[in-house]
Amino acid sequence: MSAEKTPIAPASNFIRGIIDRDLAENKFATKNWAGSPGGAEHQATGQVDAAKIRTRFPPEPNGYLHIGHAKSIFLNFGLARDYSGICHLRFDDTNPEKEEQEYVDSISEMVQWLGFGWNNESENNLYYASDYFEFMYEAAEALIEHDNAYVDAQSADEMRINRGTLTEAGKDSPYRNRTIAENLQLFREMRDGKHADGSLVLRAKIDMASPNINMRDPAIYRIKRAHHHNTGDKWCIYPMYTFAHPIEDALEQITHSICTLEFEDQRPFYDWLLEKLADASLLARPLPHQYEFARLNLTYVVLSKRKLIQLVEDKHVSGWDDPRLPTLAGARRRGYTPEGFKLFTDRIGVSKADSWIEYTILEDCMREVLNEAAERRIAVLDPIKLVIDNYPKSQSEDCFAPNHPLKPELGKRTVQLSKELWIEREDFMEEPAKGYFRLFPDNLVRLRYGYVVKCTSCEKDPNGNVTVVHCEYLPDTKSGTPGSDAVKVKGNIHWVSAAHAYECEVRLYDRLFKEANPGSGDRDFLNDINPNSVQTITAQLELSLKDAKPAETFQFERHGYFVADRKDSIAGKPVFNRTVTLRDAWQK
Ligand code: ATP
Ligand code: MG
């Protein structure tokens, strides 16, 4: 992958440009808000909207939020915040069957975790699109009454064939010229359950020869006998997404409806529909406008709901909040922070062109934020013993380690030094490689925050693996005491007193996929799973980490950033997840 420099945060983006212009033109000066969603009649009872703009984040509650949604959340809620506006959280639950309370709860939790809410002064801007079913039905009848919709009885196949192609106009349905009265009667029969699922659809009457296929009489209502989590069995007809979404925006008096690029070709229908309904006096003007931006594509990650479900259901991961998943629940458990996501979304910006963002950029943002936020602690992840032979056996003493090198005001904490210590296996080499400055026989190194020691020898097991390293300390060299730096050394290693250590489970997470574009070409994305995406080890940590609270984050010096797992930690016995290493090990 390219090692391109992280782009500088754009000062602005094209959507801000649009809002600036709209506000300068006073576009919303006469836009009313009655305090709740509703059509023209309802909004007329209100006042001029105090919110300068209204945006919305409209998840379908059929899955967990992922990192791509974070981009949309920061964009929509962020714009509202910056422009004295309001962002609605709207559950787009017009599709029956697939939606569940579990998803509603998790989505609400994650929006709040990222720092946003829907309780604004006197109003609560959390909405369910299914609450608008009645209005949508009336809107459909109004279209019929103005000869803008008809009930089609063609089969799905016939409809597909008669839709035409990109280069060929479509053909009018033989049912296109039913009378208004006939259409109204049939549509009411559809609602009343007099027709079989799929036997009839209501279609907008626009233009079967339109160069935009989405304008060739799109379906707007279908018959489907399905239980809905909110409306139960009240309806056996449901609106299509492309019909429902613009109406939802209009009822909520949204000013800027921001969506991803694949909806660009739907914009003419969005406008057509809202104009017709405003002409029929059902919706208030000014009408909302749709603006499209490029969705987030991230290397080494899959963001498609279908693929995420497969990873969870086939147990490639431990659940929706597995720290390796790009779900927000997983990222949170991994130790990624809202501040890190904020920095990331600022840095990648908002554009009109699809592109792939390097996963490294996200990791760098987390590093940057955690470097500021996380206190330092000492952890030995691959321990072997170091014995200080000339140190008294029953003695121990205080050493002082700064909690944060950039923030001296956070003070120092005490760590105990004693005769037997844990050090990293890689900090000793019996036969040193060239340029190796750590422990090897006769070499001097500093035990960080402690003494200079001279390595003397080592012990090995029958297989030749080093089990214990021996050394002697130089009593006048303790860090922080006068003259301690008289002895110059090149190496500086970290350690934990064996008698004062917290032995602990640590999970070393890595990327879930070993390929930058999982499943690209003809490969099955499951074959691109990194077989070493997690390694569980037993580490020796400084004793203070025993008291870490779930979700507390630290830098383990020389290793990276770690978080006390919010799920598996118990009081006095936290387990740690590696959030990200100090440096990028994937850069080639
Ligand atoms: P589906 O395929 O089920 O529609 P979705 O990812 O679009 O999945 P929604 O719940 O509809 O999920 O998404 C809610 C909002 O998040 C939408 O407005 C959508 O534009 C935005 N969104 C979803 N994925 C991304 C992404 N990768 N980058 C930016 N925004 C996204
Ligand atoms: Mg969607």
Side-chain angles (χ1 to χ4, degrees), residues 70-131:
K71 177 173 177 178
S72 177
I73 291 170
F74 276 107
L75 182 60
N76 283 296
F77 282 93
L79 288 171
R81 183 185 276 176
D82 294 350
Y83 283 93
S84 307
I86 285 181
C87 179
H88 299 181
L89 174 60
R90 177 201 308 151
F91 288 107
D92 205 332
D93 59 352
T94 52
N95 195 7
E97 281 179 330
K98 287 197 298 183
E99 286 122 12
E100 283 177 35
Q101 189 61 34
E102 179 191 351
Y103 300 128
V104 168
D105 293 343
S106 165
I107 290 168
S108 313
E109 192 182 345
M110 287 305 137
V111 170
Q112 285 175 299
W113 178 64
L114 289 179
F116 300 105
W118 44 86
N119 282 309
N120 296 293
E121 293 185 10
S122 60
E123 57 188 73
N124 174 351
N125 303 101
L126 173 83
Y127 303 114
Y128 289 85
S130 58
D131 287 339

Coordinates of all heavy atoms in Angstrom, one line a residue, residues 70-131:
A70 N -20.1 6.3 11.3 CA -19.5 7.4 12.1 C -19.3 8.6 11.2 O -19.5 9.7 11.7 CB -18.2 6.9 12.7
K71 N -18.9 8.4 10.0 CA -18.7 9.5 9.1 C -20.0 10.3 8.9 O -20.0 11.5 9.0 CB -18.1 9.0 7.7 CG -17.9 10.1 6.7 CD -17.3 9.6 5.4 CE -17.2 10.7 4.4 NZ -16.5 10.3 3.2
S72 N -21.0 9.6 8.7 CA -22.3 10.2 8.5 C -22.8 10.9 9.7 O -23.4 12.0 9.7 CB -23.3 9.1 8.0 OG -24.6 9.7 7.8
I73 N -22.6 10.3 10.9 CA -23.0 10.9 12.2 C -22.3 12.2 12.4 O -22.9 13.2 12.7 CB -22.8 9.9 13.3 CG1 -23.7 8.7 13.2 CG2 -22.9 10.5 14.7 CD1 -23.4 7.5 14.1
F74 N -20.9 12.1 12.3 CA -20.2 13.4 12.5 C -20.6 14.5 11.5 O -20.6 15.6 11.8 CB -18.7 13.1 12.4 CG -18.1 12.6 13.7 CD1 -17.7 11.3 13.9 CD2 -18.0 13.5 14.8 CE1 -17.2 10.8 15.1 CE2 -17.5 13.0 16.0 CZ -17.1 11.7 16.1
L75 N -20.9 14.0 10.3 CA -21.3 15.0 9.3 C -22.6 15.7 9.6 O -22.7 16.9 9.8 CB -21.3 14.3 7.9 CG -21.7 15.2 6.7 CD1 -20.7 16.3 6.6 CD2 -21.7 14.4 5.4
N76 N -23.6 14.8 9.9 CA -25.0 15.4 10.1 C -25.1 16.1 11.4 O -25.6 17.2 11.5 CB -26.0 14.3 10.0 CG -26.3 13.9 8.5 OD1 -26.8 14.7 7.8 ND2 -25.9 12.7 8.1
F77 N -24.7 15.4 12.5 CA -24.7 16.1 13.8 C -23.8 17.2 13.9 O -24.0 18.2 14.6 CB -24.5 15.0 14.9 CG -25.7 14.2 15.2 CD1 -25.8 12.9 14.6 CD2 -26.6 14.6 16.2 CE1 -26.9 12.1 14.9 CE2 -27.7 13.7 16.4 CZ -27.9 12.5 15.8
G78 N -22.6 17.1 13.3 CA -21.6 18.1 13.3 C -22.0 19.4 12.6 O -21.9 20.5 13.1
L79 N -22.7 19.2 11.5 CA -23.2 20.4 10.8 C -24.2 21.1 11.6 O -24.2 22.4 11.7 CB -23.8 20.0 9.4 CG -22.8 19.6 8.3 CD1 -23.5 19.0 7.1 CD2 -21.9 20.8 7.9
A80 N -25.2 20.3 12.2 CA -26.2 20.9 13.0 C -25.6 21.7 14.2 O -26.0 22.9 14.5 CB -27.2 19.9 13.5
R81 N -24.6 21.1 14.8 CA -24.0 21.8 15.9 C -23.3 23.1 15.5 O -23.4 24.1 16.1 CB -22.9 20.8 16.5 CG -22.2 21.3 17.7 CD -21.1 20.3 18.2 NE -21.7 19.3 19.0 CZ -20.9 18.2 19.4 NH1 -19.6 18.2 19.1 NH2 -21.4 17.3 20.1
D82 N -22.6 23.0 14.4 CA -21.8 24.2 13.9 C -22.7 25.3 13.4 O -22.2 26.5 13.3 CB -20.8 23.8 12.8 CG -19.7 22.8 13.3 OD1 -19.7 22.7 14.6 OD2 -19.0 22.3 12.5
Y83 N -23.9 25.0 12.9 CA -24.7 26.0 12.3 C -25.9 26.4 13.2 O -26.9 26.8 12.6 CB -25.2 25.6 10.9 CG -24.1 25.7 9.9 CD1 -23.2 24.6 9.5 CD2 -23.9 26.9 9.2 CE1 -22.2 24.8 8.6 CE2 -22.9 27.0 8.2 CZ -22.1 26.0 7.9 OH -21.1 26.1 7.0
S84 N -25.9 26.1 14.5 CA -27.0 26.4 15.3 C -28.3 25.7 14.8 O -29.4 26.3 14.7 CB -27.3 27.9 15.5 OG -26.2 28.6 15.9
G85 N -28.1 24.5 14.4 CA -29.2 23.7 13.9 C -29.6 22.5 14.8 O -29.1 22.5 15.9
I86 N -30.4 21.6 14.2 CA -30.7 20.4 15.0 C -30.6 19.2 14.0 O -31.0 19.3 12.9 CB -32.2 20.6 15.5 CG1 -32.2 21.5 16.7 CG2 -32.8 19.2 15.9 CD1 -33.6 21.7 17.3
C87 N -30.0 18.2 14.6 CA -30.0 16.9 13.8 C -30.9 15.9 14.4 O -30.9 15.7 15.6 CB -28.5 16.4 13.8 SG -28.4 14.8 12.9
H88 N -31.8 15.3 13.6 CA -32.7 14.3 14.1 C -32.1 12.9 14.0 O -31.4 12.6 13.1 CB -34.0 14.3 13.2 CG -34.7 15.6 13.2 ND1 -35.9 15.7 12.5 CD2 -34.5 16.8 13.8 CE1 -36.4 17.0 12.7 NE2 -35.5 17.6 13.5
L89 N -32.4 12.1 15.0 CA -32.1 10.7 14.9 C -33.4 10.0 14.4 O -34.4 10.1 15.1 CB -31.6 10.1 16.2 CG -31.4 8.5 16.1 CD1 -30.3 8.1 15.1 CD2 -31.0 8.0 17.5
R90 N -33.4 9.5 13.2 CA -34.6 8.9 12.7 C -34.3 7.4 12.4 O -33.5 7.1 11.6 CB -35.0 9.6 11.4 CG -36.3 9.0 10.8 CD -36.5 9.3 9.3 NE -36.4 10.7 9.1 CZ -36.0 11.2 8.0 NH1 -35.6 10.5 7.0 NH2 -35.9 12.6 7.9
F91 N -35.1 6.6 13.0 CA -35.0 5.2 12.6 C -35.9 5.0 11.4 O -37.1 5.2 11.4 CB -35.5 4.3 13.8 CG -34.5 4.3 14.9 CD1 -34.7 5.0 16.1 CD2 -33.3 3.7 14.7 CE1 -33.7 5.0 17.1 CE2 -32.3 3.7 15.7 CZ -32.5 4.4 16.9
D92 N -35.2 4.6 10.3 CA -35.9 4.4 9.1 C -36.4 3.0 9.0 O -35.8 2.1 8.4 CB -34.9 4.7 7.9 CG -35.6 5.1 6.7 OD1 -36.7 4.7 6.5 OD2 -34.9 5.9 5.9
D93 N -37.6 2.8 9.6 CA -38.1 1.5 9.9 C -39.3 1.2 9.0 O -40.3 0.6 9.5 CB -38.4 1.3 11.3 CG -39.4 2.2 11.9 OD1 -39.8 3.2 11.1 OD2 -39.9 2.1 13.0
T94 N -39.3 1.6 7.7 CA -40.4 1.4 6.9 C -40.5 0.0 6.3 O -41.5 -0.4 5.7 CB -40.5 2.4 5.7 OG1 -39.2 2.4 5.1 CG2 -40.7 3.8 6.3
N95 N -39.4 -0.7 6.4 CA -39.3 -2.1 5.8 C -39.6 -3.1 6.9 O -38.8 -3.2 7.9 CB -37.9 -2.3 5.3 CG -37.8 -3.5 4.4 OD1 -38.8 -4.1 4.0 ND2 -36.5 -3.8 4.0
P96 N -40.8 -3.8 6.8 CA -41.1 -4.7 8.0 C -40.2 -5.9 8.0 O -39.4 -6.1 7.1 CB -42.5 -5.1 7.6 CG -42.6 -5.0 6.1 CD -41.7 -3.9 5.7
E97 N -40.3 -6.6 9.1 CA -39.6 -7.9 9.3 C -38.2 -7.8 9.7 O -37.8 -8.4 10.7 CB -39.6 -8.8 8.0 CG -40.9 -9.5 7.8 CD -40.9 -10.3 6.5 OE1 -40.2 -9.9 5.5 OE2 -41.6 -11.3 6.4
K98 N -37.4 -7.0 9.0 CA -35.9 -7.0 9.3 C -35.5 -6.3 10.6 O -34.4 -6.5 11.1 CB -35.1 -6.4 8.1 CG -35.1 -7.3 6.9 CD -34.0 -6.9 5.9 CE -34.2 -5.5 5.4 NZ -33.3 -5.1 4.4
E99 N -36.4 -5.5 11.1 CA -35.9 -4.6 12.2 C -36.1 -5.1 13.6 O -37.1 -5.8 13.9 CB -36.6 -3.2 12.0 CG -36.1 -2.4 10.9 CD -37.1 -2.1 9.8 OE1 -38.3 -2.2 10.0 OE2 -36.6 -1.7 8.7
E100 N -35.2 -4.8 14.4 CA -35.3 -5.3 15.8 C -34.9 -4.3 16.8 O -34.1 -3.4 16.6 CB -34.3 -6.5 15.9 CG -34.9 -7.8 15.3 CD -33.9 -8.9 15.4 OE1 -33.2 -9.0 16.4 OE2 -33.9 -9.7 14.4
Q101 N -35.5 -4.4 18.0 CA -35.2 -3.5 19.1 C -33.7 -3.5 19.5 O -33.2 -2.5 19.8 CB -36.1 -4.0 20.3 CG -36.0 -3.0 21.5 CD -36.6 -1.6 21.1 OE1 -37.5 -1.5 20.3 NE2 -36.0 -0.6 21.6
E102 N -33.1 -4.7 19.4 CA -31.7 -4.8 19.7 C -30.8 -3.8 18.9 O -29.9 -3.1 19.4 CB -31.2 -6.2 19.4 CG -29.8 -6.5 19.6 CD -29.4 -7.8 19.0 OE1 -30.2 -8.6 18.6 OE2 -28.1 -8.1 19.0
Y103 N -31.2 -3.6 17.7 CA -30.5 -2.7 16.8 C -30.8 -1.2 17.2 O -29.9 -0.4 17.2 CB -30.8 -2.9 15.3 CG -30.5 -4.3 14.9 CD1 -31.4 -5.1 14.2 CD2 -29.2 -4.9 15.1 CE1 -31.1 -6.4 13.8 CE2 -28.8 -6.1 14.6 CZ -29.8 -6.9 14.0 OH -29.5 -8.2 13.6
V104 N -32.1 -1.0 17.5 CA -32.5 0.4 17.9 C -31.7 0.8 19.1 O -31.1 1.9 19.2 CB -34.0 0.4 18.2 CG1 -34.4 1.7 18.9 CG2 -34.8 0.2 16.9
D105 N -31.6 -0.1 20.1 CA -30.8 0.2 21.3 C -29.4 0.5 21.0 O -28.8 1.4 21.6 CB -31.0 -0.9 22.3 CG -32.4 -1.1 22.8 OD1 -33.2 -0.2 22.6 OD2 -32.7 -2.2 23.3
S106 N -28.8 -0.4 20.3 CA -27.3 -0.3 20.0 C -27.0 1.0 19.2 O -26.0 1.7 19.5 CB -26.9 -1.5 19.3 OG -25.6 -1.3 18.7
I107 N -27.9 1.3 18.2 CA -27.7 2.5 17.4 C -27.7 3.8 18.3 O -26.9 4.6 18.3 CB -28.7 2.6 16.3 CG1 -28.4 1.5 15.2 CG2 -28.7 4.0 15.6 CD1 -29.5 1.3 14.2
S108 N -28.8 3.8 19.2 CA -28.9 5.0 20.1 C -27.7 5.1 21.0 O -27.1 6.2 21.2 CB -30.1 4.8 21.0 OG -31.2 4.4 20.3
E109 N -27.2 4.0 21.5 CA -26.1 4.0 22.4 C -24.8 4.5 21.7 O -24.0 5.3 22.2 CB -25.8 2.6 22.9 CG -24.8 2.5 24.0 CD -24.6 1.0 24.5 OE1 -25.3 0.1 24.1 OE2 -23.6 0.8 25.2
M110 N -24.6 4.1 20.4 CA -23.4 4.5 19.7 C -23.4 6.0 19.3 O -22.4 6.6 19.3 CB -23.2 3.6 18.5 CG -22.8 2.2 18.8 SD -21.3 2.2 19.8 CE -21.7 1.0 21.0
V111 N -24.6 6.5 18.9 CA -24.7 7.9 18.6 C -24.3 8.7 19.8 O -23.5 9.7 19.8 CB -26.1 8.3 18.1 CG1 -26.3 9.8 18.0 CG2 -26.4 7.6 16.8
Q112 N -24.8 8.3 21.0 CA -24.4 9.0 22.2 C -23.0 8.8 22.6 O -22.3 9.8 23.0 CB -25.3 8.5 23.4 CG -26.7 9.0 23.3 CD -27.6 8.4 24.4 OE1 -27.8 7.1 24.4 NE2 -28.1 9.2 25.2
W113 N -22.5 7.6 22.3 CA -21.0 7.4 22.6 C -20.2 8.4 21.8 O -19.2 8.9 22.3 CB -20.7 6.0 22.3 CG -19.2 5.7 22.5 CD1 -18.5 5.7 23.7 CD2 -18.3 5.3 21.5 NE1 -17.2 5.4 23.5 CE2 -17.0 5.1 22.2 CE3 -18.4 5.1 20.1 CZ2 -15.9 4.7 21.5 CZ3 -17.2 4.7 19.4 CH2 -16.0 4.5 20.1
L114 N -20.6 8.6 20.5 CA -19.8 9.5 19.7 C -20.0 11.0 20.1 O -19.3 11.9 19.6 CB -20.2 9.4 18.2 CG -19.7 8.1 17.6 CD1 -20.1 8.0 16.1 CD2 -18.2 7.9 17.6
G115 N -20.8 11.2 21.1 CA -20.9 12.6 21.7 C -22.2 13.4 21.2 O -22.2 14.6 21.4
F116 N -23.1 12.7 20.6 CA -24.3 13.4 20.2 C -25.6 12.9 20.8 O -25.6 11.8 21.4 CB -24.4 13.3 18.6 CG -23.2 13.8 17.9 CD1 -22.3 12.9 17.4 CD2 -23.0 15.2 17.8 CE1 -21.1 13.4 16.7 CE2 -21.9 15.7 17.2 CZ -20.9 14.8 16.6
G117 N -26.6 13.7 20.8 CA -27.9 13.4 21.4 C -29.0 13.9 20.6 O -28.8 14.6 19.6
W118 N -30.2 13.6 21.0 CA -31.4 14.1 20.3 C -32.4 14.9 21.2 O -33.4 15.3 20.8 CB -32.1 12.9 19.6 CG -32.2 11.8 20.6 CD1 -33.2 11.6 21.5 CD2 -31.3 10.7 20.7 NE1 -32.9 10.4 22.3 CE2 -31.7 9.9 21.8 CE3 -30.1 10.4 20.1 CZ2 -31.0 8.7 22.2 CZ3 -29.4 9.2 20.5 CH2 -29.9 8.4 21.6
N119 N -31.9 15.1 22.4 CA -32.8 16.0 23.3 C -32.3 17.4 23.2 O -31.2 17.7 23.6 CB -32.7 15.5 24.7 CG -33.5 14.3 24.9 OD1 -34.7 14.3 24.6 ND2 -32.9 13.2 25.5
N120 N -33.1 18.2 22.5 CA -32.7 19.6 22.3 C -33.6 20.5 23.0 O -34.8 20.6 22.6 CB -32.7 19.9 20.8 CG -31.6 19.0 20.1 OD1 -30.4 19.2 20.2 ND2 -32.1 18.1 19.2
E121 N -33.2 21.2 24.0 CA -34.0 22.1 24.8 C -35.4 21.6 25.0 O -35.6 20.7 25.8 CB -34.0 23.5 24.2 CG -32.6 24.1 24.3 CD -32.4 25.5 23.8 OE1 -33.4 26.2 23.5 OE2 -31.2 25.9 23.8
S122 N -36.4 22.1 24.3 CA -37.8 21.7 24.6 C -38.2 20.5 23.8 O -39.3 20.1 24.0 CB -38.7 22.9 24.4 OG -38.6 23.3 23.0
E123 N -37.4 20.1 22.9 CA -37.9 18.9 22.1 C -37.0 17.8 22.0 O -35.8 17.9 22.2 CB -38.3 19.4 20.7 CG -37.2 20.1 19.9 CD -37.7 20.7 18.6 OE1 -38.4 21.7 18.7 OE2 -37.4 20.2 17.5
N124 N -37.6 16.6 21.8 CA -36.9 15.4 21.7 C -36.9 15.0 20.2 O -38.0 14.6 19.7 CB -37.5 14.4 22.6 CG -36.9 13.0 22.4 OD1 -36.1 12.7 21.6 ND2 -37.4 12.1 23.3
N125 N -35.8 15.0 19.5 CA -35.8 14.8 18.1 C -35.4 13.4 17.7 O -34.6 13.2 16.8 CB -34.9 15.8 17.4 CG -35.3 17.2 17.7 OD1 -34.7 17.9 18.5 ND2 -36.4 17.7 17.1
L126 N -36.0 12.4 18.3 CA -35.9 11.0 18.0 C -37.2 10.6 17.3 O -38.2 10.7 17.9 CB -35.6 10.2 19.2 CG -35.6 8.7 19.0 CD1 -34.2 8.3 18.5 CD2 -35.9 7.9 20.3
Y127 N -37.1 10.1 16.1 CA -38.3 9.8 15.3 C -38.2 8.4 14.7 O -37.1 7.9 14.5 CB -38.5 10.8 14.2 CG -38.6 12.2 14.8 CD1 -37.7 13.2 14.5 CD2 -39.7 12.6 15.7 CE1 -37.7 14.5 15.0 CE2 -39.7 13.9 16.2 CZ -38.7 14.8 15.9 OH -38.8 16.1 16.4
Y128 N -39.4 7.9 14.5 CA -39.5 6.6 13.8 C -40.3 6.8 12.5 O -41.4 7.3 12.5 CB -40.3 5.6 14.6 CG -39.5 5.1 15.8 CD1 -39.5 5.8 17.0 CD2 -38.7 3.9 15.7 CE1 -38.7 5.4 18.1 CE2 -38.0 3.5 16.8 CZ -38.0 4.2 18.0 OH -37.2 3.8 19.1
A129 N -39.7 6.4 11.4 CA -40.4 6.7 10.1 C -41.7 5.9 10.0 O -42.6 6.4 9.3 CB -39.5 6.2 8.9
S130 N -41.9 4.8 10.7 CA -43.1 4.1 10.6 C -44.3 4.9 11.3 O -45.4 4.6 11.0 CB -43.0 2.7 11.3 OG -42.6 2.9 12.7
D131 N -44.0 5.9 12.1 CA -45.0 6.7 12.6 C -45.7 7.6 11.5 O -46.7 8.2 11.7 CB -44.5 7.7 13.7 CG -44.2 7.0 15.0 OD1 -44.7 5.9 15.2 OD2 -43.4 7.5 15.8

